Amino acid sequence: MADTVQAAPARSRRARGAQAPEPKTDAAAPDAAPPAADAGTLVGYYRQMLLIRRFEERAARAYTEAKIGGYCHLNLGEEATVVGLMAALRPTDYLFTNYREHGYALAKGFNAVAGGSGGSSPHQPSRAERVMAELYGRSTGVSKGWGGSMHLFDAEARLLGGYGIVGGQVPLAAGAALAVSYKGGDEVVMCQMGDGTTAIGAFHESLNIAALWNLPVVFVVINNGLGMGTTVESSAAEPELYRRGAAYRTESLRVDGTDVLAVRDAARTAVERARAESKPYLLETVSPRLKGHSVVDPARYRSKEEKEALKAADPLARMALELEEAGILSADDRDRLDAEVTAEVDAAAAFADESPAPEVSTLFDYTYATPVPGELRRLPADPVFGS
Amino acid sequence: MATVTYRQALRDTLRAEMLRDENVFLLGEEIGLFEGSYKITEGLLKEFGPRRVRDTPIAEEGFVGAAIGAAMLGLRPVVEIMTINFSLLALDQIVNHAAKIYGMFGGQASVPMVIRTPGGGGQQLGATHSQNVELFYSFIPGLKVLAPSTPAEASAMLKAAIRDDDPVLFLENLALYNTRGELPAAVEDVEPAEIGRAAVTRPGTDITIIGYSRMARVASEVAETLAAEGVSAEVVDLRSLRPLDRQTVVDSVRRTGCAVVAEDDWLTYGIGAEIAATIQEGAFDWLDAPVRRVAMAEVPLPYAKSLETAALPSAESLLTAVRATLRATGRITPGTDATSPRPALEPVR
Ligand SMILES: Cc1ncc(C[n+]2csc(CCOP(=O)(O)OP(=O)(O)O)c2C)c(N)n1
């Protein structure tokens, strides 16, 4: 097992060629050698990554079938980052994300849930079912159909929402961490964002505030190389994004986001520092996105060669190979897992399909938490006063 | 009953609410050591310490967003934004996040926070420091927008705002801070106001004058002047700009048969426009004259005193509009400012 863990970074650098980031840090190196992961843990990570992959493929298909509307941003290529990050959190830790969030909603707290991602009994819908139902706009969705792909929220999992305004979630995460420290709790808040977000004012304001106030928040920049079609190099004066931590005296680290164990170990360092010292941390994971910005984006801004090269960056294929080479997961085992996960995703789609749309009579239920008597509850053609 | 300033009412209420609920805390620029740009938070850092009274960097978007995040976890932040002009830097957080979180996530998280912020012209502060942009916030479902005009209202509404589970924009007007009024009880015992209710602050029969914040006070002055001339003006103080209490406005206009709306911001697309439309929808048949609106001149507010004074609505400008409306109804005779006997109020059908 230890061999597998040790070997992973070397193989990853070869596989990704020019895209390979050297692990970089402005902080001290992680205190100890990363703990070895047992076979069960590794297979668990692989299964989660596979679930995200199959879920996203299914979401893309459902989108083309017009079962999913609006925008739909996928985690394809970012599975190792998602699973590695989530593996570093306790179930009681909080998570804020942006709109590229399906994977996070599936994986938050997965390592605490027996049997992976939740049961599939009809009375207790699984996480995958509730997330898919949200994408379908159904009342059984995690946000009751009010959020859609960009606004998943799961109070139980302490996923405090996906946000669609680039950078909008970053101050919220700092504030949640403020509440944790105000109450004297030991939870950590993780805030996921894309590379493009680091140019937004809210990012800088939040890092400054979090450092000044010693807030237990881990800012995670998923550097997938692009904000829509704009490259990091053309939008960031300092494209090594983790270095921005220095401006706020915040420890920071860059990690290979296609290596689930590297991400998990870096995230553990970040999370535990935040927890133990009540200090923010900036983590950058380099994880190329395999497809377009959203389902409908054919990514014409990428050259053919680039698209070819991306195949080598596929974290799922890479982990499969590593597990096979280490004798942990045979091709047969993999097929069996795949069938299992595919069935789970099929069930999620079926659940979403069969779930009811929210009743129109509930349209005015969520304007205010403290309702106001006499508040205007008018449909477009209704008169304001009587009829 | 004690006579207090609007400023004192706010300060005492903040203090009382902090004593009452450990989850209530303050944050904003210069509210601690400096004791507030307008001294609303005077003495509070000394009494409660930096955990409860938190000075922020000049980062409106950042600290307003942080307050929203803290509120999502159950704290009750009361944010001071130095003036409403600077709230524009936090517009994304207020409009896209504070207002939307409850609905967007199907009611799973609420944002029980208050943003206190003063506004208003008349201090020769120039174009970027003299605006009333409450309209931007009043436009947005999910927010509650309050604009009390007296110390008693300020206290009752601030209590209601702090105890409410939704984000509340609490608008103060610089011109009101030193005005005085009586509190109905010791500040700890002031009853929280009912959010979303307008008040008929002065009953009358000849005309309805509708205002909020500073202009509600000006409306009361004008009503006083008119009373001396034998005209009975009813004053409606909106107090809550969202939710808006249309019924109280319409009921009043149905009684008086005419109305003037007074607001301390620009006319076009404004709050006065909304009130005028409301009257049209709810009291058209009762109207004896068109609804008039009194608002700021539509310019970036100039610095020069002569220009600034001319641009802002005042008791004189409101009085002019009220008299013109009364003349149009025949309630006062053209050419005089004296009243004529009031004609019977038959609805025009
Ligand atoms: C403030 C703002 N500006 C622009 C957009 C439109 N937009 C949506 S996603 C996106 C790219 C963001 O890139 P990045 O932060 O790197 O995240 P990624 O999509 O790579 O996950 C843009 C410009 C937006 N949603 N919000």
Side-chain angles (χ1 to χ4, degrees):
Chain A
M1 244 45 64
D3 279 344
T4 314
V5 176
Q6 302 300 330
R11 201 161 25 240
S12 80
R13 272 195 288 280
R14 223 181 22 247
R16 274 186 337 286
Q19 305 230 25
E22 293 299 319
K24 288 175 178 178
T25 180
D26 279 350
D31 303 321
D38 59 52
T41 303
L42 290 171
V43 172
Y45 293 163
Y46 178 76
R47 190 185 189 286
Q48 277 298 312
M49 288 167 57
L50 188 64
L51 173 67
I52 297 171
R53 174 66 53 92
R54 296 290 174 256
F55 184 96
E56 295 292 54
E57 288 165 352
R58 185 62 187 235
R61 207 173 94 202
Y63 193 91
T64 60
E65 294 164 358
K67 298 196 169 190
I68 297 175
Y71 296 139
C72 192
H73 310 89
L74 305 179
N75 279 122
L76 296 171
E78 300 178 8
E79 296 92 342
T81 282
V82 176
V83 172
L85 290 173
M86 293 305 98
L89 293 180
R90 292 182 187 166
T92 46
D93 290 332
Y94 297 98
L95 176 69
F96 286 84
T97 74
N98 70 358
Y99 44 81
R100 194 181 301 286
E101 56 163 339
H102 304 165
Y104 297 89
L106 294 173
K108 170 76 172 77
F110 77 90
N111 42 349
V113 181
S117 45
S120 54
S121 103
H123 304 295
Q124 257 247 294
S126 70
R127 191 73 66 70
E129 286 171 331
R130 294 171 61 229
V131 173
M132 190 66 89
E134 188 60 36
L135 305 192
Y136 279 49
R138 303 306 164 102
S139 61
T140 51
V142 279
S143 302
K144 300 184 193 161
W146 279 74
S149 165
M150 295 195 288
H151 306 303
L152 306 173
F153 189 106
D154 190 342
E156 195 190 316
R158 298 209 166 179
L159 166 63
L160 295 191
Y163 295 81
I165 306 292
V166 170
Q169 76 278 23
V170 189
L172 303 185
L178 172 62
V180 167
S181 72
Y182 188 97
K183 296 176 180 174
D186 74 341
E187 301 92 349
V188 167
V189 180
M190 182 176 275
C191 182
Q192 172 268 22
M193 70 194 87
D195 46 84
T197 313
T198 61
I200 289 260
F203 170 83
H204 296 273
E205 293 190 18
S206 303
L207 262 69
N208 186 48
I209 283 173
L212 276 173
W213 295 353
N214 297 318
L215 302 179
V217 52
V218 177
F219 300 108
V220 185
V221 176
I222 317 298
N223 185 350
N224 62 20
L226 290 163
M228 296 183 72
T230 303
T231 61
V232 173
E233 291 70 23
S234 62
S235 66
E238 170 50 272
E240 294 195 3
L241 302 171
Y242 77 99
R243 285 181 184 275
R244 290 173 182 230
Y248 305 101
R249 293 201 176 187
T250 292
E251 283 185 36
S252 62
L253 184 72
R254 175 185 253 206
V255 67
D256 174 0
T258 63
D259 178 341
V260 67
L261 289 179
V263 173
R264 183 201 62 180
D265 294 337
R268 275 187 180 161
T269 301
V271 168
E272 290 321 318
R273 288 258 161 97
R275 199 184 318 276
E277 296 164 36
S278 192
K279 274 206 294 202
Y281 202 102
L282 175 61
L283 183 64
E284 177 186 3
T285 79
V286 181
S287 359
R289 78 162 138 75
L290 299 181
K291 298 280 185 189
H293 170 67
S294 69
V295 177
V296 295
D297 168 24
R300 291 211 188 84
Y301 42 85
R302 275 175 159 161
S303 68
K304 217 170 147 225
E305 300 75 58
E306 236 180 302
K307 286 183 183 171
E308 275 305 308
L310 278 173
K311 288 196 182 131
D314 185 334
L316 192 71
R318 173 182 146 191
M319 191 170 186
L321 190 68
E322 281 169 8
L323 291 179
E324 194 170 338
E325 283 177 7
I328 292 173
L329 203 66
S330 68
D332 279 354
D333 295 337
R334 231 166 47 214
D335 289 346
R336 191 177 37 74
L337 268 188
D338 208 332
E340 221 176 276
V341 162
T342 303
E344 198 175 327
V345 169
D346 284 345
F351 175 81
D353 242 337
E354 290 154 16
S355 288
E359 292 290 337
V360 172
S361 62
T362 63
L363 181 62
F364 298 103
D365 286 0
Y366 302 120
T367 313
Y368 293 123
T370 306
V372 176
E375 167 208 334
L376 197 62
R377 294 182 160 222
R378 174 185 166 275
L379 287 171
D382 294 345
V384 175
F385 290 96
S387 51
Chain B
M1 292 221 283
T3 300
V4 295
T5 60
Y6 191 96
R7 168 183 286 112
Q8 190 70 41
L10 290 172
R11 183 189 305 146
D12 293 349
T13 306
L14 284 175
R15 181 172 174 274
E17 289 299 293
M18 290 176 79
L19 289 170
R20 192 187 62 86
D21 182 353
E22 170 80 18
N23 286 330
V24 175
F25 74 106
L26 313 183
L27 78 171
E29 291 159 16
E30 309 294 353
I31 63 165
L33 217 50
F34 194 83
E35 304 197 296
S37 301
Y38 297 99
K39 299 291 175 248
I40 307 300
T41 52
E42 202 168 54
L44 297 181
L45 174 65
K46 270 196 206 91
E47 182 171 355
F48 293 99
R51 173 170 171 265
R52 310 273 314 270
V53 181
R54 188 175 286 264
D55 278 320
T56 67
I58 308 163
E60 279 78 7
E61 184 176 9
F63 70 74
V64 169
I68 298 170
M72 289 175 77
L73 291 202
L75 298 188
R76 295 190 170 266
V78 181
V79 181
E80 177 173 302
I81 298 185
M82 205 177 271
T83 79
I84 197 169
N85 305 279
F86 316 143
S87 75
L88 302 184
L89 284 96
L91 204 56
D92 172 55
Q93 285 299 325
I94 300 170
V95 173
N96 278 323
H97 297 96
K100 307 287 194 295
I101 279 169
Y102 187 67
M104 181 160 95
F105 300 131
Q108 292 180 87
S110 63
V111 181
M113 71 184 286
V114 180
I115 299 174
R116 293 182 34 247
T117 185
Q123 325 284 321
Q124 281 198 279
L125 300 177
T128 62
H129 282 59
S130 311
Q131 311 169 80
N132 280 340
V133 291
E134 55 267 24
L135 172 65
F136 299 172
Y137 302 112
S138 305
F139 182 59
I140 308 296
L143 295 176
K144 290 172 177 170
V145 183
L146 308 181
S149 65
T150 65
E153 264 181 22
S155 180
M157 298 195 96
L158 185 54
K159 281 192 178 187
I162 290 172
R163 298 180 195 187
D164 196 274
D165 284 338
D166 294 301
V168 180
L169 257 297
F170 191 88
L171 304 170
E172 299 160 13
N173 189 303
L174 295 176
L176 292 177
Y177 280 149
N178 286 332
T179 58
R180 292 183 167 273
E182 284 182 343
L183 292 189
V187 75
E188 314 80 66
D189 302 326
V190 166
E191 276 295 311
E194 207 183 327
I195 291 178
R197 281 272 169 277
V200 176
T201 52
R202 182 191 177 101
T205 50
D206 293 331
I207 188 164
T208 300
I209 309 176
I210 301 139
Y212 63 91
S213 191
R214 181 179 80 95
M215 290 314 286
R217 262 192 111 104
V218 171
S220 298
E221 277 170 45
V222 164
E224 200 70 40
T225 306
L226 289 166
E229 297 168 9
V231 174
S232 166
E234 178 150 303
V235 176
V236 175
D237 183 349
L238 292 175
R239 307 194 304 183
S240 174
L241 301 179
R242 181 176 278 272
L244 183 61
D245 180 357
R246 294 165 200 274
Q247 198 63 51
T248 297
V249 170
V250 161
D251 288 347
S252 172
V253 177
R254 286 181 183 183
R255 283 193 298 273
T256 62
C258 60
V260 173
V261 191
E263 63 188 318
D264 220 347
D265 56 8
W266 293 305
L267 185 83
T268 303
Y269 306 116
I271 289 163
E274 179 59 35
I275 299 297
T278 293
I279 295 170
Q280 190 280 139
E281 282 176 279
F284 180 77
D285 287 349
W286 286 259
L287 281 177
D288 298 331
V291 177
R292 272 182 182 254
R293 293 181 282 155
V294 174
M296 264 172 75
E298 300 221 77
V299 293
L301 211 62
Y303 162 75
K305 194 75 199 157
S306 58
L307 296 177
E308 186 187 45
T309 305
L312 289 170
S314 61
E316 293 70 46
S317 49
L318 181 53
L319 206 48
T320 302
V322 169
R323 286 188 170 133
T325 303
L326 288 166
R327 275 195 293 274
T329 64
R331 274 162 220 168
I332 59 177
T333 328
T336 78
D337 282 337
T339 37
S340 50
R342 195 168 177 288
L345 263 186
E346 285 306 314
V348 182
R349 290 188 194 273

